[in-house]
Amino acid sequence: MNNKREFDSSVTKQIDAWKKKFPKEKPESSIIMSLRFIQDHYGWLSDKHLDMLADYLDLAPIRVYEVASFYSMYHRKPVGKYVLGICGSISCMLRGSEPLLHHLETKLDIKLGDTTKDGLFTLKEVECLASCTKAPAMVVNGTQYVEDLTPESLDKLVDNLRQGEQL
Amino acid sequence: MKQNLVCYRTFEEKSPSSFETYKKFNGYTTWEKLLKGKMKPSEVIDAIKAAGLMGRGGAGFPTGLKMSFINRDKEGQKYLVCNSDESEPGTSKDRFIMQKNPHQLIEGMAIAAYTMGATVGYNYMRGEFMKEFESCEKALKEAKKAGLIGKNILGTGINFELINIIGAGAYIVGEETAMLESIEGKRAMPRFKPPFPANYGLYGKPTTVNNTESLASIPVILDKGAEWFKKLGTEKSGGTKIFSVSGHVAKPGVFEIPMGTPFKDLLELAGGMLDNRGCKAVIPGGSSMKIVPGKTMLKAEMSYEGMQSVGSAIGSGGVIVMDDRTCMVEALACVIKFYEDESCGQCTPCREGTNWLHQNLRDIIAGKGKIKDVDLLVEIAGKIEGKTICAFGEAVAWPVQSFIEHFRDEFEFYCKNGYSKVKGK
């Protein structure tokens, strides 16, 4: 396989800095965050990326694959520019997360798990975000919390993002 | 009622998370006392034991006792790990410590680490907590600049490196040995115990894992005295506890209040019931704990013994309130779906059982249930409980058993009629 391809230097710089958080002889400890750096840069994690990371950290590919397939924040398929993760756990459910999810499906004209044709939005249901007192809540692109959701606030958010506004 | 006396004590300040603000609260004075030899590690453990501090992450294990399991004089590397993976449904409390009072967590970690002879401490935050991570990094930078964290601290020859890290999405990381696996860069699958982390922890070295709220309580206990802390609470539940009240209340919120506070007072702090409806049921400590009927809760007090007396537990302090419009079958299905999604898949009873439970509940909701399914749910739960490597098995079984114990009629009605007793056709 062709391992000549290299990560962008901005990514390797992040990986190298993160590696310093762990003992020198434990490069595998930095897999979890390295995958995040790669995903943030390239949008998703392809097999090629995983092989390249294993190579970069000098680890067997399985060490990287088993991590990439376990944690829920990784995308192993291309996703939209904005990944909307609506919380479906009990505190949000009690405050109406389910109708909100259907509202978004209609608004975006996609089903849960799908990406809009323009490549702008992917809709996901996620588990408890620790935003229970500001339910219903969602997380955009993994780390941006949007809380106290209503159908109106969701419409506004989607419309704004469609018009090219930043989060 | 006095609020915000311990972990949230800086919250009313103008810039609650700053180094200067924390200094105003006697911040880092206990750490300096320890560094200068004016307080001994054994005194720290004695004080935490006397204060009655119990693990605030959910298990409620006595924190002082846990710290005493590490032999500080034994040669070799030891680790402290702070569990900031806050993921238990209904729980939203630790993130605010990291956002608004990170220095107290840093001091708590430094004290705990030194007491156990650990020179490295990891603070593991859940993957979504980028805001909290940045706040902790900023505070750490300030503490290092002040010479309070790092190598040869204040010229004493004592070292303590604190390292903030962040996960990638997995509830099970909150199980302490799963967290160690995750720091080692693996799938977060809980380990067999024994050996316990105190003997074989991170990278095989002696390690203690404590919850964020537990560690952030330590500087206040030592500064104000074990007696002061203990007396805030009850005889058996010392100190304060942070409760995040969610669900059908008028003003959901997070409240740090004395242990032993009556539930009805906590409910009042949260604005009372939403739309003045009746309080049907409450899960008092995160979704893994047993559900309690509302009328029982309204007479109970929020303490370890108070929650035990109503057949549940204080857990993580995630108080989930349900009003009389809630369909218990649908609520349980939502809780169980969570566990099905989050089972790490290592133990067969949990991996398969959570799936069966959810399928069974989905069938009932789809109108395909039979009366015997109600007993089947209890039976499956019983075959998961106690048969798994970690306590996730109990976390699945307890909601099933308690929902059906208290609301069996709703489950049977759904099976018999094919629609919800509460919501109607």
Side-chain angles (χ1 to χ4, degrees):
Chain A
M1 92 154 289
N2 175 16
N3 278 327
K4 274 185 200 154
R5 269 187 59 186
E6 282 172 4
F7 290 121
D8 189 88
S9 64
S10 66
V11 175
T12 50
K13 215 169 135 188
Q14 285 177 300
I15 295 175
D16 293 345
W18 197 264
K19 267 170 86 174
K20 293 198 182 109
K21 289 180 179 269
F22 306 101
K24 263 200 191 81
E25 67 280 13
K26 305 288 182 191
E28 57 272 30
S29 283
S30 48
I31 295 173
I32 291 180
M33 199 61 190
S34 299
L35 288 171
R36 167 100 66 117
F37 295 139
I38 297 165
Q39 176 167 293
D40 286 349
H41 188 83
Y42 297 100
W44 65 291
L45 299 170
S46 68
D47 287 356
K48 182 94 188 169
H49 290 137
L50 303 193
D51 291 333
M52 280 160 68
L53 180 64
D55 216 39
Y56 189 76
L57 296 174
D58 200 16
L59 297 166
I62 181 65
R63 296 303 316 277
V64 177
Y65 277 77
E66 67 175 3
V67 169
S69 59
F70 186 83
Y71 295 91
S72 63
M73 288 174 70
Y74 300 132
H75 309 306
R76 294 287 280 114
K77 285 189 294 194
V79 289
K81 186 176 176 194
Y82 299 106
V83 180
L84 311 180
I86 299 262
C87 175
S89 297
I90 184 73
S91 299
C92 283
M93 179 265 202
L94 292 171
R95 301 295 290 220
S97 61
E98 212 181 323
L100 276 183
L101 196 60
H102 296 316
H103 178 82
L104 263 184
E105 283 183 322
T106 311
K107 171 102 184 155
L108 299 172
D109 194 24
I110 51 172
K111 288 279 161 215
L112 193 62
D114 292 343
T115 300
T116 53
K117 279 189 193 126
D118 59 4
L120 212 47
F121 299 102
T122 299
L123 185 58
K124 280 175 73 172
E125 189 182 50
V126 296
E127 296 295 358
C128 187
L129 293 167
S131 270
C132 317
T133 61
K134 290 172 184 159
M138 76 168 173
V139 70
V140 182
N141 290 349
T143 57
Q144 302 248 30
Y145 280 77
V146 190
E147 299 164 319
D148 294 316
L149 299 172
T150 61
E152 295 75 31
S153 72
L154 273 176
D155 284 348
K156 203 174 157 202
L157 180 95
V158 168
D159 292 341
N160 287 346
L161 293 176
R162 274 179 178 159
Q163 280 161 23
E165 278 183 37
Q166 295 298 307
L167 258 184
Chain B
M1 182 194 331
K2 282 200 172 165
Q3 287 187 56
N4 300 355
L5 291 170
V6 181
C7 296
Y8 285 2
R9 62 185 174 149
T10 61
F11 283 22
E12 306 292 315
E13 299 292 311
K14 228 181 183 172
S15 40
S17 64
S18 77
F19 183 74
E20 291 72 31
T21 299
Y22 188 53
K23 289 293 271 187
K24 275 204 301 198
F25 285 82
N26 265 353
Y28 290 110
T29 51
T30 304
W31 178 225
E32 286 182 25
K33 257 198 222 168
L34 260 177
L35 289 164
K36 289 176 183 158
K38 289 181 187 160
M39 186 187 275
K40 290 196 202 93
S42 60
E43 291 174 65
V44 172
I45 291 182
D46 290 345
I48 294 171
K49 281 183 180 167
L53 179 67
M54 320 259 244
R56 301 295 199 229
F61 193 82
T63 306
L65 184 63
K66 197 174 194 181
M67 288 170 71
S68 72
F69 291 154
I70 299 260
N71 177 1
R72 90 179 296 274
D73 299 322
K74 197 179 160 193
E75 296 246 334
Q77 184 67 56
K78 302 176 200 75
Y79 292 101
L80 170 74
V81 174
C82 174
N83 186 343
S84 299
D85 186 56
E86 189 153 76
S87 301
E88 170 81 8
T91 314
S92 178
K93 62 176 183 81
D94 294 337
R95 55 186 309 191
F96 303 114
I97 298 174
M98 293 184 283
Q99 283 176 15
K100 296 198 215 168
N101 193 9
H103 280 288
Q104 194 164 309
L105 177 60
I106 293 175
E107 187 182 9
M109 284 186 69
I111 294 167
Y114 178 70
T115 299
M116 294 178 284
T119 54
V120 178
Y122 285 99
N123 182 17
Y124 189 125
M125 288 159 247
R126 62 177 290 165
E128 291 85 354
F129 279 180
M130 198 46 91
K131 187 174 169 189
E132 290 73 10
F133 176 78
E134 279 161 8
S135 159
C136 285
E137 285 283 275
K138 180 174 170 277
L140 179 60
K141 212 179 254 179
E142 291 172 331
K144 281 186 172 175
K145 201 176 152 208
L148 292 162
I149 302 289
K151 287 204 171 65
N152 189 20
I153 300 167
L154 303 179
T156 57
I158 295 165
N159 305 322
F160 177 60
E161 276 307 332
L162 199 164
I163 300 160
N164 294 313
I165 54 173
I166 188 159
Y171 166 73
I172 197 62
V173 167
E175 200 276 349
E176 62 176 10
T177 60
M179 178 164 281
L180 302 177
E181 290 286 300
S182 189
I183 302 174
E184 293 183 6
K186 301 176 200 156
R187 289 180 160 213
M189 289 184 163
R191 296 174 180 172
F192 274 112
K193 292 164 281 270
F196 290 94
N199 291 317
Y200 189 92
L202 182 60
Y203 305 125
K205 308 293 185 194
T207 303
T208 298
V209 185
N210 292 116
N211 166 257
T212 319
E213 183 184 348
S214 311
L215 286 166
S217 300
I218 290 174
V220 187
I221 290 171
L222 298 173
D223 184 45
K224 299 206 169 179
E227 195 60 16
W228 174 87
F229 183 84
K230 189 176 168 62
K231 278 194 172 154
L232 291 174
T234 67
E235 179 59 30
K236 284 178 182 160
S237 307
T240 52
K241 175 80 190 84
I242 308 173
F243 295 101
S244 42
V245 186
S246 67
H248 296 142
V249 292
K251 289 181 200 155
V254 189
F255 310 96
E256 182 172 51
I257 54 171
M259 283 281 197
T261 301
F263 168 72
K264 65 172 174 40
D265 293 358
L266 178 59
L267 183 60
E268 213 164 280
L269 282 176
M273 293 301 294
L274 185 67
D275 304 335
N276 289 316
R277 302 293 301 207
C279 179
K280 182 173 185 177
V282 179
I283 308 178
S287 71
S288 305
M289 297 300 145
K290 292 188 173 177
I291 196 166
V292 181
K295 61 179 190 306
T296 311
M297 275 303 283
L298 287 164
K299 286 181 266 171
E301 61 166 42
M302 303 305 289
S303 62
Y304 290 102
E305 65 276 21
M307 286 300 101
Q308 200 183 355
S309 75
V310 296
S312 190
I314 216 154
S316 60
V319 180
I320 306 164
V321 180
M322 302 178 197
D323 72 19
D324 49 16
R325 291 170 290 192
T326 313
C327 169
M328 287 301 155
V329 182
E330 290 173 12
L332 180 64
C334 178
V335 169
I336 293 306
K337 180 183 164 290
F338 173 86
Y339 292 104
E340 183 195 20
D341 274 0
E342 299 292 347
S343 172
C344 82
Q346 184 174 213
C347 309
T348 310
C350 172
R351 183 186 64 239
E352 302 299 319
T354 50
N355 186 278
W356 284 12
L357 288 170
H358 190 212
Q359 183 61 50
N360 191 333
L361 285 160
R362 264 187 315 210
D363 284 348
I364 295 175
I365 290 169
K368 292 186 278 182
K370 297 184 189 78
I371 288 285
K372 64 175 190 203
D373 285 340
V374 182
D375 285 328
L376 186 60
L377 283 167
V378 178
E379 195 189 326
I380 298 168
K383 286 182 174 164
I384 304 173
E385 185 184 14
K387 294 174 179 65
T388 52
I389 287 174
C390 79
F392 192 103
E394 283 69 40
V396 179
W398 290 349
V400 176
Q401 294 160 348
S402 58
F403 268 73
I404 293 176
E405 180 192 338
H406 296 298
F407 303 99
R408 178 178 272 270
D409 60 320
E410 276 188 46
F411 287 83
E412 293 188 343
F413 185 95
Y414 221 133
C415 292
K416 227 182 272 173
N417 301 287
Y419 61 89
S420 166
K421 185 179 177 187
V422 181
K423 295 188 170 174
K425 267 188 186 169

